[in-house]
Amino acid sequence: MPRIRLTVAYVGTRYQGWQIQGQGATIQGTIEDKLTRICGELVRVHGSGRTDSGVHALAQVAHFDVPESKAHIPWQQALNAMLPDDIAILDAVEVTEDFHARFSVRSKRYAYTLWTEPHFILPQRAPFVWAVRGLDFEAMDQAAQELAGTHDFAAFQNAGTEIKGTVRTLEPILRTQGQSPAEWVFRFQADGFLKQMVRNLMGLLAEAGRGGLGPGEVRAILEGCDRRKAPATAPARGLTLEEVVY
Amino acid sequence: MPRIRLTVAYVGTRYQGWQIQGQGATIQGTIEDKLTRICGELVRVHGSGRTDSGVHALAQVAHFDVPESKAHIPWQQALNAMLPDDIAILDAVEVTEDFHARFSVRSKRYAYTLWTEPHFILPQRAPFVWAVRGLDFEAMDQAAQELAGTHDFAAFQNAGTEIKGTVRTLEPILRTQGQSPAEWVFRFQADGFLKQMVRNLMGLLAEAGRGGLGPGEVRAILEGCDRRKAPATAPARGLTLEEVVY
């Protein structure tokens, strides 16, 4: 059976995340529904990993297998004609069977966007940012330096995952100006992320920016491997999956 | 009675335009509703002009008068706390009574954004662009040159307006790259715009870009002053009111 790799962008606001759940619309479910209609039989879509409810993507990757008789359908065109405006297929190519959207991942990159203008949030940017006030960005950069490297990130993993190992290698966290002067973007790249890890790391950075944590305390939280001792999770809306590397 | 000038940004997708109508949510209506709740009496909001259903704004301007007893309310903070995410007050300042949001306007600038990637529309940009294919941008620039200047723009005015004069002075139309390589932005600045004038001008430019109109034909349409002989109106979603100059 031919295997197709999809690159998918979405605005996650309306969805209960990537992965099919008991109820509520999901990105995976919406794409499977269209593929199943096109193929006349159930087609399963495998993503590179879950994204939480409300998280966005510029380039999520997924694959699916299709019956030989459907091999020559122009998948990008067919799916984009059926999908709602908030999901789009950026690319669809046939790959060999040794490609697997989840198991073949080498690293992923997420962007988290903060909105710092205190008196308003621009409506055009509101779905994509977390509005914060009075953060000390130098203190955040210092805290970020403590997090980079190969560590046990158990303190940044929310409950409900089946993953055994919690050691990951996080590249240096980069901070850049966003689309407007009010926006700062933090980029997180790692060989893998635990459940809600980026949002938990961002929550810690924000707490450091509020003056609540020095570098020594950041190290202690990381080494403590206890989620209950780490700061609160940052909201989903500021997070975008930017790239999956294979 | 003190007069307050508001600068308002909005994503127009969910609204039946700026101005209060028989039914459906409008930007003006939503702001009036919040002001009326704050003041305990009906407060009328006067915009610089209407925007159509689905059109966006980065800096619409409006004014309202408030009872002396309410003069010291922090309007921006009070309104932003009550308004939905897709409307925001960027600025609220007290002005003298000789300021009128509509009658004091000297010029306005609109941006119209085209999406040119033929195989998908990025979901993050979909609400703000018109997706087009295979346009000849040099031909559009040539057509744009014919439109700039002081002309009777009756051929670009849709029915249903009460305005008497249809002569306006349009500055040279500027075309620039947009947020992504797939986007081109056309900017229209004039001392005033007729009903749906920017969308009708954009519709003509698109037709020129498709090869359907040479510069001579553009001149003939302009001089003919007959809406029925001009190309179709471009969609609302690509249009944003960027600035009102006083």
Side-chain angles (χ1 to χ4, degrees), chain A residues 10 57 80 85 119 124 237, chain B residues 10 57 80 85 119 124 237:
Chain A
Y10 46 87
N80 282 340
D85 279 0
H119 302 105
Q124 285 82 351
R237 65 194 305 161
Chain B
Y10 46 87
N80 282 340
D85 278 359
H119 301 105
Q124 285 80 350
R237 65 196 303 164

Side-chain angles (χ1 to χ4, degrees), chain B residues 32-240:
Chain B
E32 282 192 3
D33 176 56
K34 307 310 178 199
L35 282 174
T36 298
R37 279 208 253 167
I38 293 169
C39 293
E41 61 182 83
L42 180 67
V43 177
R44 281 274 163 235
V45 173
H46 304 270
S48 75
R50 307 179 185 191
T51 55
D52 298 338
S53 177
V55 170
H56 317 289
L58 285 171
Q60 167 71 295
V61 176
H63 81 262
F64 61 94
D65 295 327
V66 287
E68 207 60 65
S69 65
K70 307 286 180 186
H72 299 294
I73 287 177
W75 294 106
Q76 182 182 28
Q77 196 183 338
L79 284 168
N80 282 340
M82 299 174 80
L83 286 167
D85 278 359
D86 53 9
I87 304 178
I89 307 300
L90 307 196
D91 193 33
V93 289
E94 188 167 342
V95 289
T96 53
E97 275 187 36
D98 59 352
F99 174 83
H100 190 287
R102 183 148 67 96
F103 302 136
S104 308
V105 173
R106 287 178 54 202
S107 72
K108 289 185 182 181
R109 189 178 73 245
Y110 284 92
Y112 197 102
T113 305
L114 300 182
W115 178 267
T116 61
E117 155 61 50
H119 301 105
F120 66 88
I121 307 172
L122 196 69
Q124 285 80 350
R125 299 295 299 148
F128 306 106
V129 300
W130 179 26
V132 292
R133 288 181 184 217
L135 296 186
D136 175 345
F137 282 92
E138 309 242 320
M140 295 172 78
D141 291 343
Q142 281 187 7
Q145 283 181 26
E146 300 295 327
L147 298 171
T150 303
H151 303 290
D152 183 337
F153 283 97
F156 300 96
Q157 174 183 235
N158 280 24
T161 25
E162 294 155 28
I163 289 165
K164 284 165 199 155
T166 49
V167 174
R168 295 290 183 277
T169 298
L170 180 67
E171 302 298 318
I173 298 165
L174 298 177
R175 173 166 68 91
T176 56
Q177 188 81 57
Q179 281 186 26
S180 74
E183 293 177 48
W184 284 101
V185 183
F186 289 80
R187 287 199 165 77
F188 301 82
Q189 176 144 13
D191 54 356
F193 288 92
L194 307 170
K195 181 167 178 166
Q196 301 191 338
M197 179 169 151
V198 181
R199 294 169 57 193
N200 289 332
L201 291 170
M202 194 67 234
L204 175 134
L205 293 181
E207 185 59 24
R210 284 182 212 107
L213 290 175
E217 290 157 296
V218 172
R219 263 196 306 278
I221 288 170
L222 183 60
E223 288 164 6
C225 291
D226 184 351
R227 175 75 203 118
R228 293 164 300 176
K229 296 197 174 143
T233 309
R237 65 196 303 164
L239 187 60
T240 294

Side-chain angles (χ1 to χ4, degrees), chain A residues 3-209:
Chain A
R3 178 162 290 186
I4 310 293
R5 183 182 70 201
L6 299 177
T7 306
V8 188
Y10 46 87
V11 173
T13 312
R14 285 202 309 130
Y15 297 92
Q16 300 298 314
W18 167 265
Q19 183 150 310
I20 290 176
Q21 302 196 353
Q23 56 184 7
T26 65
I27 321 292
Q28 181 196 12
T30 304
I31 298 173
E32 282 193 3
D33 175 58
K34 307 310 177 197
L35 282 175
T36 298
R37 279 208 254 167
I38 293 168
C39 293
E41 61 183 82
L42 180 66
V43 177
R44 280 274 163 235
V45 173
H46 304 269
S48 74
R50 307 177 184 193
T51 56
D52 297 337
S53 178
V55 170
H56 318 289
L58 283 171
Q60 167 71 295
V61 175
H63 81 260
F64 62 94
D65 295 327
V66 288
E68 206 61 66
S69 65
K70 306 287 181 186
H72 299 296
I73 287 177
W75 295 105
Q76 181 181 29
Q77 194 182 339
L79 284 168
N80 282 340
M82 298 174 81
L83 287 167
D85 279 0
D86 52 11
I87 304 177
I89 308 300
L90 307 196
D91 192 33
V93 289
E94 189 168 339
V95 290
T96 54
E97 275 186 37
D98 59 352
F99 174 83
H100 190 287
R102 182 148 68 96
F103 302 135
S104 309
V105 173
R106 288 178 52 201
S107 72
K108 288 185 182 183
R109 191 178 72 246
Y110 283 91
Y112 198 102
T113 305
L114 299 181
W115 179 267
T116 61
E117 153 62 49
H119 302 105
F120 66 88
I121 307 172
L122 196 69
Q124 285 82 351
R125 299 295 301 148
F128 306 105
V129 300
W130 179 26
V132 292
R133 287 181 186 217
L135 296 187
D136 174 346
F137 282 92
E138 309 241 321
M140 296 172 79
D141 291 343
Q142 280 186 7
Q145 282 181 27
E146 300 296 328
L147 299 171
T150 302
H151 303 290
D152 183 338
F153 283 97
F156 300 96
Q157 173 184 237
N158 280 24
T161 25
E162 295 154 29
I163 289 166
K164 286 166 199 156
T166 50
V167 174
R168 297 290 183 277
T169 299
L170 180 66
E171 303 297 319
I173 298 165
L174 299 177
R175 173 166 68 91
T176 56
Q177 187 82 57
Q179 282 185 28
S180 73
E183 293 177 47
W184 284 101
V185 183
F186 288 79
R187 287 199 166 76
F188 300 83
Q189 177 144 13
D191 54 355
F193 289 93
L194 306 170
K195 183 168 176 165
Q196 300 192 337
M197 178 168 152
V198 182
R199 293 169 57 193
N200 289 333
L201 291 171
M202 194 67 234
L204 175 133
L205 293 181
E207 185 58 26

